[in-house]
Amino acid sequence: MQAVILAAGESSRFWPLNKKNKSLIKIMGRPLVWYTIESLKGAGIKDLIIVQGPKKDIEEELNKYNLGLNVRYVVQENPKGMGDALFQAKDFLREQFFVLDVTRFDAGDYLKSLLEKQKSSGVSLILLGAKTDNPQIYGVFRLEGDKVKEVVEKPANGKEPSDIKNVVVQLLPKEFLDFIRRVPEEMYSFEDALSLYAKEKDVRVVMLGEEPPSLKYSWHLFEVTKSLIDRYLESKVAKTAKVAKSAVIEGKVFIGENAKIFENAVIKGPCYIGDNCIIGNNALIREYSNLENNCVVGALAEVTRSIFQEDVHIHSGYFGDSIFDKGCRVGAGSVTANVRIDRGEVFSILKGEKIGTGIDSLGVIVGENTKIGINCSLMPGRFIGSNCIIGPHSVVFENIEDNLTYFTEFKGVKKSA
């Protein structure tokens, strides 16, 4: 069988981590797209098409790995949605193929069920569905039993045809391209073509028992990381790592090459510590924290359930349920507040819209190469863009856009480009 990975989106909803395709975020030393491919390989896929954007950054990253299967790359020059993306692969498609989102790292778990459904029903087009509490952010099915009658993309609140979302692991026939040609060319032409196909032919759905992790917004990365660590993390201390005798390592912990764990540091797994990382005296790392290569955690710092990309340096302070993209620097004494004072759901703001995250523990999410001064206080659910400077003693109550300098003055807040 053949699979098509759609990986050309702009990832605009993934700000402030969207300087690259979201599938290039690294967990345990590998980009997310690598895990998607590993899952497909495990299910027997040998022929793969990856639709990427014009930067070709996914191809560049994957060329570093021996993937062990036949891969073709095609380019979607403009982000015109899934329908246009699939059309770019038309010259390489077989009569039947799987299509999936690039961050569907568990896709291989479901391919057998889709094929079995096809065999039992005799239907060419099979979709994967799961119940969701947030149908407004997904494509949602209108169903009659296991028959899909329509796909509604991001339905308005109160107008959802069901609470069953499209998981975006689907088995398609090549004739589906004809239906894409018949609908208007726009961002959701893929979903419109599914609805048209369902109106004229039979479409069935395979239901999952529970909703799998998705990656629509940046805070979804925590759940994805937890799933990947549970599935792939191995306990290992590299031979070249230096761990002080008084350091404490508990649970499942990976420590990479040339890492240094100083006196009285404590690491409570599951945790991943990459190559060349430094964990300072009396620092505490715990609970699904993921530190990529060349990170530094200074003395007396605490890091819990947080994700650091490459070359992030922090000093003393508390960093809970937070994400720092590559190259960030944080001064001593800075703290991320990761729960509201009333312990309620943490909300965030994206494109001027207040969005419930569905979680009650969320710190700060910071874009690449941002510098944060000493003794800063970062409020729950706030986002800071890339290439920003946050002045010392600042209190961040609001999102900070890319490329801004921000500091709190005695009489208020001042921002400058």
Side-chain angles (χ1 to χ4, degrees), residues 29 41 45 57 145 194 209 212 221 223 226 228-229 371 384 399:
K41 283 172 58 180
I45 294 293
D57 48 357
L194 285 176
L221 189 59
E223 186 179 8
K226 183 178 184 299
L228 289 174
I229 285 177
K371 311 298 188 289
I384 301 173
N399 287 355

Side-chain angles (χ1 to χ4, degrees), residues 54 101 107 134 150 157 267 269 336 338:
D101 179 78
N134 298 291
E150 185 182 14
N157 191 20
I267 303 175
T336 66
N338 60 332

Side-chain angles (χ1 to χ4, degrees), residues 308 314 316-324 328-331 333-340 346 362-366 370-384 389-400 406 408:
F308 293 2
I314 65 169
S316 61
Y318 175 75
F319 304 88
D321 302 288
S322 295
I323 305 172
F324 291 85
C328 287
R329 300 288 187 271
V330 185
S334 290
V335 169
T336 66
N338 60 332
V339 295
R340 287 167 40 141
V346 178
L362 175 60
V364 68
I365 300 179
V366 184
T370 282
K371 311 298 188 289
I372 298 174
I374 62 168
N375 297 317
C376 289
S377 299
L378 313 172
M379 294 300 104
R382 300 306 87 173
F383 295 168
I384 301 173
I389 295 176
I390 309 300
H393 296 275
S394 291
V395 182
V396 177
F397 283 106
E398 59 184 319
N399 287 355
I400 310 298
Y406 174 104
T408 303

Side-chain angles (χ1 to χ4, degrees), residues 169 213 279 348 398 401:
V169 179
I279 311 300
S348 198
E398 59 184 319
E401 298 298 325

Side-chain angles (χ1 to χ4, degrees), residues 15-16 18-19 366-371 383-390 399-406 415-417:
W15 183 82
N18 63 339
K19 288 298 182 181
V366 184
E368 61 185 41
N369 299 318
T370 282
K371 311 298 188 289
F383 295 168
I384 301 173
S386 297
N387 305 308
C388 291
I389 295 176
I390 309 300
N399 287 355
I400 310 298
E401 298 298 325
D402 295 342
N403 306 310
L404 285 181
T405 295
Y406 174 104
K415 293 186 289 185
S416 63

Side-chain angles (χ1 to χ4, degrees), residues 1-205:
M1 292 295 293
Q2 179 185 58
V4 181
I5 293 178
L6 303 180
E10 289 185 308
S11 305
S12 61
R13 287 176 294 189
F14 215 64
W15 183 82
L17 307 178
N18 63 339
K19 288 298 182 181
K20 54 185 174 297
N21 188 280
K22 62 185 177 182
S23 71
L24 296 178
I25 292 286
K26 287 187 176 179
I27 301 297
M28 293 181 288
R30 306 277 186 171
L32 292 175
V33 62
W34 183 88
Y35 294 103
T36 301
I37 294 170
E38 282 296 296
S39 179
L40 292 174
K41 283 172 58 180
I45 294 293
K46 299 183 184 302
D47 186 23
L48 182 63
I49 300 170
I50 298 178
V51 184
Q52 61 181 333
K55 291 196 296 185
K56 301 182 180 180
D57 48 357
I58 291 177
E59 181 177 359
E60 180 182 356
E61 176 65 27
L62 290 178
N63 281 338
K64 300 174 184 177
Y65 305 96
N66 179 14
L67 298 176
L69 72 174
N70 179 39
V71 183
R72 295 184 182 91
Y73 296 95
V74 297
V75 173
Q76 184 186 29
E77 292 292 346
N78 298 299
K80 295 180 180 179
M82 290 174 55
D84 180 75
L86 181 59
F87 229 80
Q88 307 311 310
K90 64 183 183 300
D91 294 338
F92 305 109
L93 294 176
R94 298 179 184 174
E95 289 305 311
Q96 188 177 49
F97 50 90
F98 295 101
V99 171
L100 59 142
D101 179 78
V102 64
T103 55
R104 194 72 270 157
F105 65 87
D106 51 358
D109 298 347
Y110 314 126
L111 302 192
K112 182 179 179 181
S113 296
L114 295 179
L115 290 170
E116 289 175 346
K117 186 72 169 183
Q118 183 188 62
K119 184 177 180 180
S120 65
S121 66
V123 171
S124 297
L125 201 157
I126 310 293
L127 305 176
L128 192 67
K131 282 193 173 184
T132 179
D133 294 329
N134 298 291
Q136 298 82 14
I137 65 174
Y138 299 107
V140 178
F141 299 143
R142 181 167 67 84
L143 297 170
E144 292 181 3
D146 68 342
K147 292 185 178 182
V148 177
K149 308 305 291 185
E150 185 182 14
V151 182
V152 180
E153 184 67 24
K154 298 181 181 63
N157 191 20
K159 296 186 177 181
E160 307 91 345
S162 74
D163 61 353
I164 307 301
K165 74 173 188 178
N166 183 6
V167 178
V168 195
V169 179
Q170 39 219 352
L171 179 60
L172 302 180
K174 192 171 183 179
E175 68 170 346
F176 181 69
L177 294 179
D178 296 331
F179 288 80
I180 295 177
R181 291 187 183 98
R182 291 171 56 190
V183 299
E185 184 181 293
E186 46 93 20
M187 187 59 66
Y188 299 121
S189 60
F190 189 94
E191 292 77 11
D192 293 342
L194 285 176
S195 294
L196 179 62
Y197 193 101
K199 187 177 295 184
E200 298 182 9
K201 295 176 177 286
D202 201 348
V203 176
R204 300 296 177 95
V205 63

